[in-house]
Amino acid sequence: MSSSNNTTTQARRNSIRAPKVGHKKSRKGCQTCKTRRVKCDETLPECHVCRRLGLTCTYAYVDGTPAVKTKVEDGSTTHIKSSPSDSHGYADMASIAPSLSAEPVQSHTLDESRQRRFTELRLMHHWMVNVSRPFGLTSPLVWRELWYDEVPQLALQHENVLYALFAMSATHLLTTLPNDREEILVQARLKYWVWALREQTAAVTNLGSSNTDAVAFAALLITMNALVMLQERSLEPYEPPMEWLEVGRGAFAVLPDIEKVDEHRGLKILIETTEPIWSASAKLDLAVDADLAAVLSQEIVSNDDWSDADTVEAYETALSYIGSFRRATTVDGTAADVFLRWITMFPFMVPRRFTDLVLEQRPRALVTLAIFFAVLGRTKALQFLGEIGDRTIARREVHAIRDVLPPEWQVFMAWPLAEVDSSPLIAQ
């Protein structure tokens, strides 16, 4: 096993927090905490530990009664207690996915017909010619081959990948028709989007060696599509991009440890190429990121509880990740898809507590999110996924956040606003 493999695996494990030792055993704790060897508080239907870390919380028995049985690949069964975080958030997303777009879903669209076959052929052609090949144009050959070779092959065998690919291809295609959005294409995209989430939920529930690659690549496609669809959402009144943050949490949670993946598999390449991000510093570099550290100032009036260790950790972890991402953008010659990996991994690398603070629209959390979007705006990574025009996702989100912040927090918006309004894109 290589040193690089060890580093990647350990970094991923550390991002979910290492198990504590010497704790008192919990006899009725959830199966997830028992596996991780940490003390469970036994809260039902979901313990606080799993809730905070965004893990699937499973109980073998609830109130003396066996939990729901779910089949796994080898024909045996596992006892799973359903919870809001099951399937890494995909189940909830299937019901709210249409809110990412202003277009309503119509049930009669996409019946089995000549029109559907034509639409799917069109979307696959667009993926092969206009999405997958340019996507990794500046990357090594092995990375490019993942998207125009391996992913389409997986799509022919797994419907979660197929529908996720169609949804993303449709999103990209719709950006080429800004003044003439085809109704059939709009409806098709939303249908495939919802179907992708539902099929992904089922695949995660039955995760095994035969579908691990498909689940991982479908998760990435779903996350990237959710991100690009932010350009279509209404920002009045402003609501944080929770759909993207929630579905993004599941993308990398389904990746196995690298030593369990065979050589020469696409999944191996995918995990190895994210290693620098897993290894990103967990602490702010005060010499370089003094402006980010200033966001943690307790002198500003806020409703943040600084006696709560989870809250402090949430802000520090999010800002340290953003600091590492910002430093990565200063490296000459970095491929756009490397930046895209930094962007798509953000929802998973930050603690769930930070996502909760964003949902509550805490000013400090919104400022942190604005800084992230400003760093995102330094790159042209999203152009490979279909973002076009001057009103970029980064610019829209930063301005929308500025408009809802209290006066005392506006000082922290100077840098994000300057970045999205005047800074040129990084040359690739």
Side-chain angles (χ1 to χ4, degrees):
M1 186 184 306
S2 68
S3 173
S4 176
N5 288 357
N6 286 332
T7 301
T8 304
T9 298
Q10 190 58 47
R12 292 186 66 245
R13 288 171 177 166
N14 289 344
S15 72
I16 309 180
R17 181 175 290 183
K20 297 179 179 179
V21 296
H23 67 271
K24 183 179 179 181
K25 291 184 178 180
S26 172
R27 295 184 181 278
K28 297 181 180 180
C30 74
Q31 299 301 302
T32 307
C33 286
K34 287 182 178 180
T35 300
R36 297 179 63 242
R37 297 185 178 181
V38 298
K39 181 174 174 57
C40 181
D41 59 24
E42 302 176 8
T43 301
L44 296 174
E46 181 182 28
C47 77
H48 290 155
V49 176
C50 290
R51 168 66 179 170
R52 178 168 60 83
L53 297 178
L55 302 175
T56 300
C57 191
T58 64
Y59 282 90
Y61 287 83
V62 180
D63 298 330
T65 303
V68 177
K69 293 183 178 181
T70 303
K71 293 182 179 179
V72 295
E73 184 185 13
D74 61 3
S76 61
T77 59
T78 182
H79 298 285
I80 297 179
K81 170 61 181 171
S82 298
S83 75
S85 66
D86 279 352
S87 300
H88 307 289
Y90 296 116
D92 291 339
M93 282 300 298
S95 63
I96 63 175
S99 66
L100 287 168
S101 172
E103 307 290 347
V105 179
Q106 297 179 12
S107 59
H108 65 272
T109 309
L110 285 188
D111 292 333
E112 288 289 350
S113 63
R114 178 180 180 277
Q115 180 61 56
R116 175 175 176 177
R117 292 191 294 274
F118 173 81
T119 298
E120 293 182 346
L121 179 60
R122 180 187 184 190
L123 293 176
M124 182 61 78
H125 176 268
H126 187 76
W127 170 268
M128 297 300 297
V129 175
N130 299 310
V131 182
S132 64
R133 290 184 181 277
F135 176 58
L137 198 58
T138 58
S139 299
L141 179 61
V142 290
W143 174 259
R144 298 201 303 270
E145 288 179 341
L146 291 181
W147 302 102
Y148 66 74
D149 185 3
E150 181 151 346
V151 169
Q153 288 189 50
L154 285 172
L156 296 177
Q157 304 171 47
H158 303 273
E159 290 189 335
N160 54 332
V161 181
L162 181 67
Y163 295 146
L165 183 154
F166 283 159
M168 187 169 170
S169 182
T171 296
H172 190 281
L173 183 56
L174 283 167
T175 63
T176 68
L177 308 168
N179 300 319
D180 184 26
R181 290 171 63 86
E182 297 180 29
E183 182 63 22
I184 291 178
L185 190 58
V186 170
Q187 292 298 320
R189 193 270 302 274
L190 291 179
K191 281 282 191 179
Y192 290 127
W193 175 233
V194 173
W195 291 348
L197 293 168
R198 289 175 178 168
E199 290 297 327
Q200 181 73 346
T201 300
V204 170
T205 301
N206 296 281
L207 189 62
S209 60
S210 66
N211 71 345
T212 303
D213 291 52
V215 168
F217 281 104
L220 275 179
L221 292 171
I222 288 169
T223 301
M224 290 189 290
N225 195 48
L227 176 61
V228 178
M229 287 172 70
L230 292 181
Q231 65 188 322
E232 303 173 24
R233 78 188 191 106
S234 172
L235 294 175
E236 296 180 4
Y238 176 76
E239 293 290 341
M242 298 311 300
E243 294 92 346
W244 164 61
L245 289 172
E246 288 293 341
V247 78
R249 288 191 61 81
F252 292 89
V254 299
L255 294 182
D257 290 338
I258 192 169
E259 66 266 19
K260 296 180 180 179
V261 182
D262 296 334
E263 294 290 342
H264 309 302
R265 281 174 60 186
L267 187 57
K268 186 91 166 184
I269 298 170
L270 178 63
I271 298 174
E272 287 178 339
T273 54
T274 60
E275 189 276 331
I277 303 176
W278 295 114
S279 304
S281 174
K283 296 293 183 182
L284 279 173
D285 186 336
L286 298 181
V288 179
D289 301 318
D291 58 331
L292 302 185
V295 178
L296 297 172
S297 172
Q298 299 181 32
E299 298 179 0
I300 307 171
V301 176
S302 73
N303 53 355
D304 292 317
D305 181 5
W306 288 102
S307 65
D308 177 38
D310 289 342
T311 296
V312 175
E313 180 191 31
Y315 286 126
E316 290 180 346
T317 302
L319 288 167
S320 67
Y321 184 87
I322 294 170
S324 298
F325 176 25
R326 186 167 66 175
R327 288 191 292 277
T329 65
T330 65
V331 179
D332 293 336
T334 302
D337 56 84
V338 174
F339 295 138
L340 186 59
R341 278 168 250 169
W342 278 96
I343 296 166
T344 55
M345 288 179 68
F346 176 74
F348 177 72
M349 294 297 285
V350 299
R352 176 174 283 280
R353 177 58 181 154
F354 177 76
T355 304
D356 293 339
L357 293 168
V358 171
L359 175 62
E360 296 168 12
Q361 298 198 37
R362 302 283 185 94
R364 198 184 315 271
L366 293 182
V367 165
T368 302
L369 190 63
I371 296 173
F372 168 77
F373 277 114
V375 178
L376 181 159
R378 282 183 157 193
T379 79
K380 65 175 185 179
L382 297 192
Q383 291 184 10
F384 286 92
L385 303 184
E387 183 184 62
I388 60 173
D390 295 331
R391 293 295 293 170
T392 62
I393 291 171
R395 183 170 296 171
R396 294 179 75 241
E397 296 291 334
V398 169
H399 277 270
I401 291 174
R402 187 272 312 272
D403 292 344
V404 298
L405 282 175
E408 61 270 23
W409 287 92
Q410 293 293 334
V411 63
F412 293 104
M413 294 300 295
W415 184 83
L417 287 168
E419 281 293 315
V420 299
D421 287 340
S422 59
S423 296
L425 295 174
I426 295 175
Q428 303 297 323

